Each structure stands twice: as C-alpha cells, then as structure tokens.
Amino acid sequence: MPVSGDVAADRVAELKRAPGNELQIHGSGALARHLMRRDLIEAYRLVIFPVVLGRGQRLFADGVPPMTMRLTDTRATRRGVVMHSYEAAGRPTFGSVLAEQVSG
C-alpha cells in the first residue's frame, strides 16, 4: 500500500490505531528516525553482527530525541549474532539510567 505525505503523523499513526498485527520497519533508518522523532515506535529489535565495517549510517543520529528503552528479550546465535528486543520507556531524566544500572 503506497504511503505519501507526512508518513509519521498521518498514515503510520492511523495504521497503529487499526486492529491487526504489528507494523515493522526493515532497512530504512531514515523512516525509523522520522518515526522516533514523533514517538511512534513502541518496540525496537536490534540485531548486532560481530563485524566492524568502520562506517555506515547511524540509527540514533542527530535529531533523534533522547529516550530510554527497557530490555525485554535477548538471544544469541552460535555465530555470535545477538538480537535484543526493547520497549520504548519514555524520556530519560538526569541520572536515571545510571541510577538504575547501579541499583539493578
């Protein structure tokens, strides 16, 4: 289904309100950053490959507001690929992340 206009404010928000399965973004850092700025992403699944290329696009680039995430699942393959699942947990407050790491 083609999407036009302000994707985050219009179509994605409408799709999130509709019944059905989850929406997913695969391979579009620009779209993900656009949705992050509008707080339209509820969960993140980050897959980390044990390879350093030395360059590439940053997912959490300039313009993405600070956020906290709560780890909900983690898995690793025999080849060292690690998959982390996170829930969006709101905006951080000064010292909140460090305090949780020390006490948790």
Side-chain angles (χ1 to χ4, degrees), residues 15-54:
L15 288 169
K16 285 182 62 165
R17 288 189 299 271
N21 295 325
E22 65 186 30
L23 302 174
Q24 296 183 4
I25 301 169
H26 295 271
S28 178
L31 177 58
R33 286 186 295 276
H34 188 73
L35 298 177
M36 282 181 220
R37 288 184 196 102
R38 287 152 181 82
D39 291 322
L40 288 170
I41 298 180
E42 298 168 7
Y44 296 83
R45 290 182 186 91
L46 304 178
V47 181
I48 302 166
F49 294 87
V51 176
V52 176
L53 300 176

